[in-house]
Amino acid sequence: MTTTDTKQEIEKNGFSIIENIYTDIEIQQLTDIIDNTDTSGATFRKSTNLFAIRQFLKEMPEISHLLFNNSLKQLIKEVFGEDYFAVKSIYFDKPGESNWFVAYHQDLTISVNTKVEIEGFGPWTTKQNQFAVQPPLELLENIFTIRIHLDETNKDNGALRVISQSHNKKIYRAETIDWSIETEITCEVPKGGIMFMKPLLLHSSGKTINNNRRRVIHIEFSNKRLPDGLQWAEKMNIL
């Protein structure tokens, strides 16, 4: 698939899967850094069903040069342009015995540095000392997400299920999904592959039933400046 095909697929369907962005050696280097990190801080969430690290790039700055290898940086430049920067990052580890699942939803909030009452921004939430707010629709439409897969992900260990083209339907509540017209797709991604996704794409993930682990690094990008008084909480230039 060419980068033109990838761009067209994202625009049409809301997602695209690219294989072989990372070698097995690079994946091992990434997981070694994660496994050797102190996880006692406030941005770390641990349970029997899920291990998550919010503000991932801030917590592990030494991992950036491995994550943003030449293959990924070139792909981002060709598909989206050279002016995008990272604005949010989360690491998910779904253990093999996990019964954790996520119902259909859109990603409707951004992470910001403070709470400021600005027209068009709201409602507000706070998670682990991080302010989040729903911004105007045009800002959400500008964002794209990269999901980096450190394990093979398939229908049996919680691969994302998406409703193709739903990102073009603005705010789309899960309870209003019309299954007579919508198409659900299971997004299986091999180890070392990535998935591009638009945040407004309706997506969900199921329970793990094959006892295989699923580790994913989720990074969101934008090239937009926020209104005066607000700043991206995790802005990082990577290109």
Side-chain angles (χ1 to χ4, degrees), residues 130-178:
Q130 176 69 73
F131 291 106
V133 64
Q134 183 172 326
L137 188 66
E138 58 268 22
L139 203 153
L140 289 172
E141 290 173 334
N142 165 262
I143 294 171
F144 73 89
T145 298
I146 294 179
R147 294 171 59 87
I148 298 166
H149 287 253
L150 306 181
D151 301 292
E152 181 179 354
T153 305
N154 56 47
K155 62 181 179 61
D156 294 328
N157 70 330
L160 278 193
R161 297 192 298 267
V162 305
I163 297 179
S164 181
Q165 302 182 28
S166 57
H167 67 300
N168 288 322
K169 298 183 178 182
K170 304 184 185 300
I171 304 300
Y172 191 172
R173 301 300 179 187
E175 61 270 20
T176 68
I177 296 172
D178 184 350

Side-chain angles (χ1 to χ4, degrees), residues 1 3 6-7 9-11 13-18 21 71-80 143-149 160 162 187 189 193-199 201 219 221:
M1 181 182 292
T3 51
T6 297
K7 186 171 184 176
E9 188 172 45
I10 296 168
E11 291 174 351
N13 297 325
F15 71 98
S16 183
I17 295 168
I18 313 294
I21 296 297
S71 296
L72 184 59
K73 288 195 292 187
Q74 188 61 32
L75 189 58
I76 292 172
K77 289 177 182 179
E78 292 178 359
V79 175
F80 295 99
I143 294 171
F144 73 89
T145 298
I146 294 179
R147 294 171 59 87
I148 298 166
H149 287 253
L160 278 193
V162 305
C187 300
V189 185
I194 68 169
M195 178 177 173
F196 284 120
M197 187 180 79
K198 297 297 290 182
L201 184 74
I219 306 175
F221 296 80

Side-chain angles (χ1 to χ4, degrees), residues 1-229:
M1 181 182 292
T2 67
T3 51
T4 299
D5 293 334
T6 297
K7 186 171 184 176
Q8 291 176 345
E9 188 172 45
I10 296 168
E11 291 174 351
K12 179 183 178 181
N13 297 325
F15 71 98
S16 183
I17 295 168
I18 313 294
E19 300 182 7
N20 301 318
I21 296 297
Y22 300 92
T23 65
D24 286 345
I25 292 175
E26 288 174 319
I27 293 295
Q28 188 61 56
Q29 291 173 328
L30 290 168
T31 56
D32 284 347
I33 293 174
I34 295 168
D35 290 343
N36 290 310
T37 296
D38 178 9
T39 60
S40 60
T43 58
F44 296 83
R45 173 186 169 191
K46 291 182 283 186
S47 71
T48 56
N49 287 324
L50 173 69
F51 171 50
I53 307 172
R54 292 187 176 275
Q55 302 182 44
F56 178 71
L57 294 176
K58 277 189 173 182
E59 291 289 350
M60 300 187 187
E62 70 275 19
I63 212 169
S64 294
H65 75 284
L66 292 172
L67 275 181
F68 300 113
N69 63 14
N70 290 334
S71 296
L72 184 59
K73 288 195 292 187
Q74 188 61 32
L75 189 58
I76 292 172
K77 289 177 182 179
E78 292 178 359
V79 175
F80 295 99
E82 298 190 8
D83 58 344
Y84 274 79
F85 44 84
V87 296
K88 186 175 183 178
S89 57
I90 310 172
Y91 168 78
F92 296 106
D93 180 354
K94 190 172 184 179
E97 66 275 13
S98 173
N99 286 320
W100 177 69
F101 73 97
V102 178
Y104 267 106
H105 66 286
Q106 297 171 299
D107 293 336
L108 296 177
T109 64
I110 60 172
S111 296
V112 294
N113 64 322
T114 189
K115 182 176 180 179
V116 180
E117 296 301 330
I118 297 177
E119 184 177 357
F121 285 75
W124 289 80
T125 59
T126 305
K127 290 184 179 179
Q128 295 171 299
N129 300 319
Q130 176 69 73
F131 291 106
V133 64
Q134 183 172 326
L137 188 66
E138 58 268 22
L139 203 153
L140 289 172
E141 290 173 334
N142 165 262
I143 294 171
F144 73 89
T145 298
I146 294 179
R147 294 171 59 87
I148 298 166
H149 287 253
L150 306 181
D151 301 292
E152 181 179 354
T153 305
N154 56 47
K155 62 181 179 61
D156 294 328
N157 70 330
L160 278 193
R161 297 192 298 267
V162 305
I163 297 179
S164 181
Q165 302 182 28
S166 57
H167 67 300
N168 288 322
K169 298 183 178 182
K170 304 184 185 300
I171 304 300
Y172 191 172
R173 301 300 179 187
E175 61 270 20
T176 68
I177 296 172
D178 184 350
W179 290 109
S180 67
I181 62 172
E182 300 294 10
T183 301
E184 180 182 72
I185 297 173
T186 299
C187 300
E188 298 190 338
V189 185
K191 176 182 177 181
I194 68 169
M195 178 177 173
F196 284 120
M197 187 180 79
K198 297 297 290 182
L200 291 176
L201 184 74
L202 275 164
H203 57 285
S204 70
S205 64
K207 298 178 181 180
T208 297
I209 61 174
N210 64 0
N211 292 321
N212 288 341
R213 192 176 190 180
R214 189 197 74 179
R215 293 168 293 179
V216 175
I217 299 170
H218 169 115
I219 306 175
E220 298 176 13
F221 296 80
S222 178
N223 64 354
K224 297 296 186 183
R225 179 178 176 178
L226 297 177
D228 289 345

